[in-house]
Amino acid sequence: MTNTLTINADQGTQTIDPHIYGHFAEHLGRCIYEGFWVGEDSDIPNTRGIRNDVVEALKRLNIPNLRWPGGCFGDEYHWKDGVGPREGRASIVNTHWGSVTENNHFGTHEFFDLCELLGAAPYICGNVGSGTVQEMSEWVEYCTHTGPSPMADWRARNGRKEPWELPFFGVGNESWGCGGNMRPEYYADEYRRYQTYVRHYGGNKIFKIACGANSADYEWTEVLMRRAGGHMDGLSLHFYTIPGVWKKKGSATQFDQAEYFATLQNALKMEEFIQRHGGIMDRYDPKKRVALIVDEWGTWFDVEPGTNPGFLYQQNTLRDALVAGLTLNIFNAHCDRVRMANIAQTVNVLQAMILTDGAKMILTPTYHVFEMWKVHQGATMLPLHLWSEDYAHEDKQIPAWSASASKDGAGRIHLTVCHTNPSQSATLSTQLRGVKAASVSGRIMTADALNTHNTFDNAEALAPRELNEGEARLEGERLTLTLPPASVAVFTLETGA
Ligand code: AHR
């Protein structure tokens, strides 16, 4: 049978929230320090201590929001250690991540400065696990109160008179695990208490995000929605794609087809998690007021040999590109409920956009997927019907194709596609319903080997290329796509609308 896709170009009703394309930066390994922060005296070109090359590269993704300071680090972070003159800031031990000394040189002011440089909305995750209600409440006052107030006055003495805009605030992280090992009933009550003092000062309206479930923990979602749903704007979900088991996850670069298959099969579980958590949310919140915020997702492999096991530094291959493309297509399809997501993590940690080595920087295949997929940000999601043959490995199967389409403000239609089968090229016959397309253009990213990745010696081993002859043919209402094995692609249809 032929693979067929129908794009219902006249039936879109939902907007794909740009925040689905969000990022996460934790005080972990070389993400904040070296990845973003090099200090004002560094030889690496920087703006007020923040490296310019990384900011410029991320700006090309239209990065909508940045989550900080953790992760697990967040529930041990005491924000007052990270404000005021840097030489006077207290040092702490980062117990979660390598037990390294954290000198707190990157704190609240530096984070907001980074967000302003990126043009990204700040998303702060507050400390419930080891912090107090007062500490959380004063952090919000410090950031957003116009003054006079004790915290606003302190902020002004530290060099920032005007309040910042703080649109997103998380009340704890993984409170079922590193954030305090709480039961859902206990956390639900704690959430209600802490969030009470996360105030809206002046014109700053905070979107409050409760800590949500780990992967398939549906009881957590049930209890949180029942006991605290009315007090939250968003409920999070964390899910990492691991080909093996936690103790032996598998190498980021040395893998066979069985591990490639297992990785994509696991990544596709995101669909089921969103449907089932979303189903529970629907019972308590049928109007979908509360957003599902997938604020940690991505691949998690064994660290690169020879690197600190606590730093979670991993390489990033064509396989990661497929995981990113498949996941973003799933988020788009559920954009009525999934209104924000944050891949873990932006630089040098887990499924990163960017890897650095001192002054050197490379872009990963995952970066390129975010760049290709950014066309969907803020566009209207178009309902699809996809019939896909299977990509089978041994006795297991996953769909060979995944697709997502949207219509932007100028009437252009964007289509992102993943072709998972690594053994053969294939054709997807696409019918464009409800629109007349005048032309098609596009880009494809693929490579001969599944483990192709960019290195500091070969930074362009994997990057999108223009279409080759015959890869996209537009004839009337029919668009015929022929994609290489294991590839991701973006197509734009000009409609003249
Ligand atoms: O992203 C790495 C860690 O994974 C985060 O700190 C934590 O929230 C999760 O377990």
Side-chain angles (χ1 to χ4, degrees):
M1 284 219 18
T2 323
N3 299 293
T4 55
L5 174 68
T6 304
I7 301 178
N8 295 301
D10 53 352
Q11 287 180 12
T13 55
Q14 307 286 338
T15 300
I16 298 173
D17 197 315
H19 288 295
I20 285 176
Y21 291 77
H23 295 262
F24 170 37
E26 181 168 8
H27 288 239
L28 195 178
R30 295 183 299 116
C31 183
I32 291 294
Y33 297 105
E34 184 183 318
F36 283 113
W37 179 258
V38 289
E40 286 158 341
D41 300 332
S42 172
D43 291 339
I44 299 173
N46 66 82
T47 302
R48 296 180 292 280
I50 297 167
R51 61 189 292 170
N52 296 340
D53 53 355
V54 168
V55 166
E56 285 314 309
L58 291 173
K59 277 170 75 170
R60 291 198 293 275
L61 302 183
N62 296 348
I63 162 170
N65 70 76
L66 187 64
R67 179 175 184 251
W68 172 85
C72 295
F73 180 80
D75 277 290
E76 278 191 310
Y77 182 62
H78 300 284
W79 69 271
K80 291 181 184 176
D81 293 342
V83 298
R86 280 190 208 107
E87 53 292 351
R89 294 187 192 173
S91 286
I92 57 162
V93 178
N94 189 335
T95 52
H96 276 291
W97 306 120
S99 288
V100 293
T101 301
E102 160 66 58
N103 64 15
N104 278 305
H105 280 196
F106 189 93
T108 301
H109 290 250
E110 291 78 12
F111 171 64
F112 278 101
D113 198 12
L114 170 60
C115 289
E116 279 174 7
L117 291 172
L118 290 170
Y123 171 12
I124 285 183
C125 185
N127 180 347
V128 171
S130 71
T132 64
V133 172
Q134 180 180 0
E135 188 181 358
M136 185 178 286
S137 137
E138 287 180 342
W139 200 3
V140 173
E141 180 189 330
Y142 186 91
C143 296
T144 62
H145 201 290
T146 46
S149 88
M151 292 299 120
D153 295 349
W154 190 22
R155 182 188 69 226
R157 288 198 300 280
N158 286 335
R160 173 81 187 198
K161 180 147 187 355
E162 293 306 310
W164 291 288
E165 273 180 38
L166 176 55
F168 301 109
F169 197 90
V171 180
N173 168 75
E174 297 196 352
S175 305
W176 37 262
C178 64
N181 285 305
M182 301 177 201
R183 295 175 304 111
E185 292 80 4
Y186 181 81
Y187 172 72
D189 286 346
E190 288 292 84
Y191 172 78
R192 291 171 65 120
R193 187 165 74 106
Y194 276 72
Q195 69 80 32
T196 304
Y197 305 95
V198 174
R199 306 272 191 209
H200 308 296
Y201 290 115
N204 189 73
K205 174 92 175 68
I206 294 188
F207 186 97
K208 300 178 188 178
I209 299 168
C211 163
N214 178 20
S215 308
D217 183 355
Y218 300 113
E219 192 204 345
W220 186 276
T221 300
E222 179 80 42
V223 173
L224 261 290
M225 287 304 293
R226 188 169 63 236
R227 293 189 170 217
H231 297 272
M232 63 180 77
D233 301 302
L235 179 63
S236 72
L237 169 67
H238 287 186
F239 169 55
Y240 285 99
T241 296
I242 295 161
V245 291
W246 276 103
K247 279 205 162 147
K248 196 165 174 11
K249 296 180 270 297
S251 161
T253 56
Q254 306 304 309
F255 55 88
D256 57 16
Q257 200 183 135
E259 277 177 273
Y260 168 79
F261 181 90
T263 307
L264 301 198
Q265 191 183 35
N266 283 346
L268 287 167
K269 287 185 186 156
M270 185 66 88
E271 171 70 35
E272 178 184 336
F273 295 146
I274 292 174
Q275 280 193 26
R276 293 190 60 184
H277 287 291
I280 295 166
M281 294 172 81
D282 283 349
R283 276 197 276 114
Y284 294 94
D285 174 35
K287 293 200 169 138
K288 301 190 197 292
R289 185 191 64 77
V290 180
L292 183 61
I293 310 285
V294 190
D295 56 15
E296 288 189 29
W297 68 273
T299 56
W300 193 325
F301 302 119
D302 295 335
V303 297
E304 282 302 295
T307 65
N308 187 328
F311 281 13
L312 311 187
Y313 176 73
Q314 66 190 40
Q315 252 295 356
N316 197 296
T317 68
L318 178 57
R319 175 175 62 164
D320 293 81
L322 278 143
V323 169
L326 292 171
T327 308
L328 292 172
N329 281 354
I330 292 171
F331 290 159
N332 286 351
H334 293 281
C335 64
D336 57 343
R337 181 67 86 176
V338 178
R339 299 203 283 275
M340 190 195 282
N342 304 76
I343 188 167
Q345 299 193 5
T346 325
V347 194
N348 290 331
V349 170
L350 298 176
Q351 191 174 353
M353 306 297 114
I354 288 174
L355 303 177
T356 65
D357 178 9
K360 290 186 264 179
M361 178 196 91
I362 55 174
L363 308 177
T364 66
T366 300
Y367 173 97
H368 292 304
V369 169
F370 271 75
E371 189 277 319
M372 294 163 86
W373 260 244
K374 73 181 178 189
V375 290
H376 292 306
Q377 290 188 23
T380 303
M381 190 268 285
L382 300 179
L384 301 178
H385 186 266
L386 172 64
W387 188 91
S388 169
E389 61 192 354
D390 285 336
Y391 155 39
H393 182 75
E394 294 172 347
D395 59 340
K396 302 189 182 80
Q397 302 84 29
I398 59 170
W401 294 90
S402 147
S404 178
S406 66
K407 188 178 193 170
D408 70 17
R412 280 184 298 255
I413 291 178
H414 302 286
L415 172 65
T416 48
V417 177
C418 301
H419 178 222
T420 60
N421 191 321
S423 310
Q424 61 195 49
S425 51
T427 295
L428 180 63
S429 177
T430 304
Q431 196 206 342
L432 307 168
R433 257 213 63 265
V435 69
K436 279 199 173 45
S439 65
V440 61
S441 59
R443 288 180 296 152
I444 292 182
M445 186 165 69
T446 189
D448 291 340
L450 293 172
N451 69 347
T452 304
H453 54 279
N454 296 332
T455 65
F456 294 97
D457 295 327
N458 184 6
E460 299 285 324
L462 202 53
R465 60 160 174 78
E466 295 301 314
L467 296 180
N468 288 334
E469 180 81 33
E471 286 179 326
R473 279 186 291 114
L474 179 64
E475 289 155 320
E477 288 190 346
R478 176 116 357 235
L479 172 67
T480 307
L481 306 174
T482 302
L483 292 201
S487 52
V488 294
V490 58
F491 301 94
T492 296
L493 293 151
E494 296 291 341
T495 61

